[in-house]
Amino acid sequence: MSPRVSKQHLEERKNHILDAAKRVFEQKGYEPVTMQDIVKEAGISRGNLYQYFSNTEEIMQAVIEKNDDSFYTYIQDLASSHEKVWDAIQAYQKVVFQSLPNPYGIVMYEYSVTRWRNPERKAFFQKRYTRAMKSFLALLEEGVKQGEFHPVQPLETIVNFMVNIWDGLILMAHVEEPERVAVGGQLEALNLYLIQALRPDENTDWHLDTKIEPG
Amino acid sequence: MSPRVSKQHLEERKNHILDAAKRVFEQKGYEPVTMQDIVKEAGISRGNLYQYFSNTEEIMQAVIEKNDDSFYTYIQDLASSHEKVWDAIQAYQKVVFQSLPNPYGIVMYEYSVTRWRNPERKAFFQKRYTRAMKSFLALLEEGVKQGEFHPVQPLETIVNFMVNIWDGLILMAHVEEPERVAVGGQLEALNLYLIQALRPDENTDWHLDTKIEPG
């Protein structure tokens, strides 16, 4: 076996483990999952798992990093795949709406909340936050550059606010009945804010098409 | 000792335990705290603690309920202590801003996040959410009744959105640097939204006086 094939094989096995681990985390939540759960779900040997990861914390971080990679590729493509940045934001808002019932969001949320008392986890998420900020800032800056937006708040603040809302909806969607927390209405509320904060040129509509129920 | 004095004494001892427990939770977070930690902080015997509570979960819920009672008394008084409901909301926004560094918020948050996989905790928080909704709805309804607000979204949605922002800020304020997440700017952003969503009569200002740094 050439080193190239071997490397590819190792990568595939790692992805197989991460996919299995993600399913287990989504079923049980982060804290209760053991290495044995992942061994069982992946259908591999214990020794095989430990060749790649030492504990569930490492696995969780690898799951998040893998997920983030495809997420940020999507965000980067958003601006170029829409004529108006406003339309790109609307496309993203619909993705948020549709993906809310996915348990991955709440597991990741749960894992991240305890970071205030876990320095390693805190460092991991601060790096992650920097990446999120950078991606969404680039999107809004594109709108300013194209003369589409005339913001009345710093773009950083606007991005913080957006991220705050979207993160909060993940929690709300999993702990209350969706109609009770008016998930669609809150995304519309964010649009109503964004129109005031970004001041797009034309007469943009703050109503979001959320007729497709999440889930 | 008369039964009246005895009852009062029991209540005082319970409050002493809850104050000690709150300090321990704020130092260590919810999960790591043991009954022994609370025994030590309260300076009482183990048997004495178990007369009141069977486990840290019960104590945490009692701490939250005690805190909520004074919180909702404050919210109820907000409308009557301000001429305009808008000013009452601004007074509350300042309280949010100033109380963000308090670790109680993040501990309670941490405890609540895991409710998606804990049915008893979920029921506890759904009851709590109903109470929060009711209190803030009453405040906004007062503004509508007085002809001060002309909302363009359902009041329930507006309250959901407000609660979402404030909850999210608790998390952000404890896991990132405050200036990095623009806490004050986000509260201003909420004001900017509220002016559009509630449509107050006069030319209200969305800028919040957050010159007093939190903490």
Side-chain angles (χ1 to χ4, degrees):
Chain A
M1 205 186 271
S2 80
R4 180 183 293 260
V5 172
S6 173
K7 203 187 163 191
Q8 191 193 328
H9 180 68
L10 284 169
E11 198 58 37
E12 276 168 13
R13 211 150 56 168
K14 195 178 174 183
N15 279 328
H16 172 75
I17 292 170
L18 293 180
D19 291 343
K22 195 180 175 191
R23 286 194 299 275
V24 181
F25 286 134
E26 286 176 352
Q27 275 162 30
K28 299 183 77 173
Y30 170 69
E31 281 298 341
V33 168
T34 64
M35 291 295 267
Q36 187 52 38
D37 290 330
I38 296 166
V39 160
K40 211 174 147 190
E41 177 72 22
I44 55 171
S45 73
R46 203 171 165 79
N48 208 311
L49 178 60
Y50 278 90
Q51 276 188 302
Y52 292 85
F53 301 103
S54 306
N55 51 53
T56 54
E57 176 111 24
E58 273 183 21
I59 300 178
M60 184 66 181
Q61 296 198 358
V63 166
I64 293 172
E65 277 168 350
K66 191 186 167 201
N67 206 73
D68 282 358
D69 285 342
S70 47
F71 176 74
Y72 288 112
T73 304
Y74 165 76
I75 297 295
Q76 270 164 12
D77 292 346
L78 259 184
S80 52
S81 59
H82 292 85
E83 207 183 317
K84 292 272 173 193
V85 178
W86 180 260
D87 295 332
I89 295 171
Q90 295 316 296
Y92 180 67
Q93 287 257 82
K94 279 190 203 177
V95 168
V96 170
F97 185 71
Q98 282 159 16
S99 65
L100 279 176
N102 191 319
Y104 172 72
I106 187 71
V107 174
M108 219 257 293
Y109 201 99
E110 186 187 345
Y111 174 73
S112 80
V113 162
T114 48
R115 67 190 128 143
W116 70 280
R117 55 180 173 84
N118 182 326
E120 291 81 14
R121 219 175 272 184
K122 190 168 182 167
F124 174 77
F125 275 100
Q126 284 188 337
K127 211 172 127 192
R128 227 186 138 249
Y129 192 76
T130 302
R131 194 178 178 188
M133 283 297 291
K134 225 174 138 181
S135 299
F136 288 113
L137 264 179
L139 192 64
L140 298 191
E141 277 163 359
E142 183 64 26
V144 172
K145 216 177 78 187
Q146 290 179 6
E148 189 185 338
F149 298 150
H150 308 86
V152 299
Q153 287 202 295
L155 289 185
E156 286 82 1
T157 305
I158 298 172
V159 173
N160 278 317
F161 195 72
M162 294 162 92
V163 170
N164 188 349
I165 297 294
W166 292 326
D167 267 7
L169 282 178
I170 292 174
L171 181 61
M172 284 181 150
H174 284 272
V175 297
E176 298 283 343
E177 305 305 316
E179 63 276 14
R180 206 175 169 219
V181 294
V183 164
Q186 288 198 58
L187 291 171
E188 284 197 326
L190 181 56
N191 272 348
L192 184 54
Y193 159 75
L194 286 175
I195 284 183
Q196 296 306 318
L198 291 171
R199 307 252 174 204
D201 266 342
E202 53 202 312
N203 207 356
T204 29
D205 186 11
W206 58 276
H207 292 282
L208 185 73
D209 176 21
T210 50
K211 265 169 268 167
I212 314 137
E213 274 304 303
Chain B
M1 205 185 271
S2 79
R4 180 182 292 259
V5 172
S6 172
K7 203 187 161 189
Q8 192 195 326
H9 179 70
L10 284 168
E11 198 57 35
E12 276 168 12
R13 212 150 57 170
K14 196 178 174 181
N15 279 328
H16 171 76
I17 292 169
L18 293 180
D19 291 343
K22 196 180 173 190
R23 287 194 299 274
V24 181
F25 286 133
E26 286 175 354
Q27 276 163 29
K28 298 183 78 173
Y30 170 68
E31 281 299 341
V33 169
T34 64
M35 290 297 266
Q36 189 53 38
D37 291 329
I38 297 167
V39 159
K40 211 174 148 189
E41 177 73 22
I44 54 171
S45 74
R46 202 170 165 79
N48 209 312
L49 178 60
Y50 278 91
Q51 275 187 303
Y52 292 86
F53 301 103
S54 306
N55 50 54
T56 55
E57 176 111 26
E58 272 182 22
I59 300 178
M60 184 66 180
Q61 295 199 359
V63 166
I64 294 172
E65 277 167 352
K66 191 186 166 201
N67 207 74
D68 281 358
D69 286 341
S70 47
F71 177 73
Y72 288 113
T73 304
Y74 166 75
I75 298 296
Q76 270 163 12
D77 293 346
L78 258 185
S80 52
S81 59
H82 291 84
E83 209 185 317
K84 291 274 174 192
V85 177
W86 180 262
D87 295 333
I89 295 170
Q90 294 318 296
Y92 180 68
Q93 287 257 84
K94 279 189 202 177
V95 167
V96 170
F97 184 71
Q98 281 160 16
S99 66
L100 279 176
N102 191 320
Y104 172 72
I106 187 71
V107 175
M108 221 258 292
Y109 202 98
E110 185 187 346
Y111 174 73
S112 81
V113 163
T114 48
R115 67 191 129 143
W116 71 279
R117 54 180 172 86
N118 181 326
E120 291 81 15
R121 220 175 271 185
K122 189 168 184 169
F124 174 77
F125 275 100
Q126 284 189 337
K127 213 173 127 191
R128 227 186 138 249
Y129 191 76
T130 302
R131 194 178 178 188
M133 283 297 290
K134 226 174 138 180
S135 299
F136 288 113
L137 264 180
L139 192 64
L140 297 191
E141 277 163 0
E142 184 63 26
V144 173
K145 216 177 78 186
Q146 290 179 4
E148 189 184 339
F149 298 151
H150 307 87
V152 300
Q153 286 202 294
L155 290 184
E156 287 81 2
T157 305
I158 298 173
V159 173
N160 278 318
F161 193 72
M162 294 161 91
V163 170
N164 188 349
I165 296 294
W166 293 326
D167 267 7
L169 282 178
I170 291 173
L171 182 61
M172 284 181 150
H174 284 272
V175 297
E176 296 284 344
E177 305 305 316
E179 63 276 15
R180 205 176 170 220
V181 293
V183 164
Q186 288 199 57
L187 291 172
E188 284 197 327
L190 181 55
N191 272 349
L192 184 54
Y193 159 74
L194 286 176
I195 283 182
Q196 296 306 317
L198 292 172
R199 306 253 174 204
D201 266 343
E202 51 200 317
N203 206 355
T204 30
D205 185 12
W206 58 275
H207 293 283
L208 185 74
D209 175 21
T210 51
K211 265 169 269 167
I212 314 139
E213 274 304 302

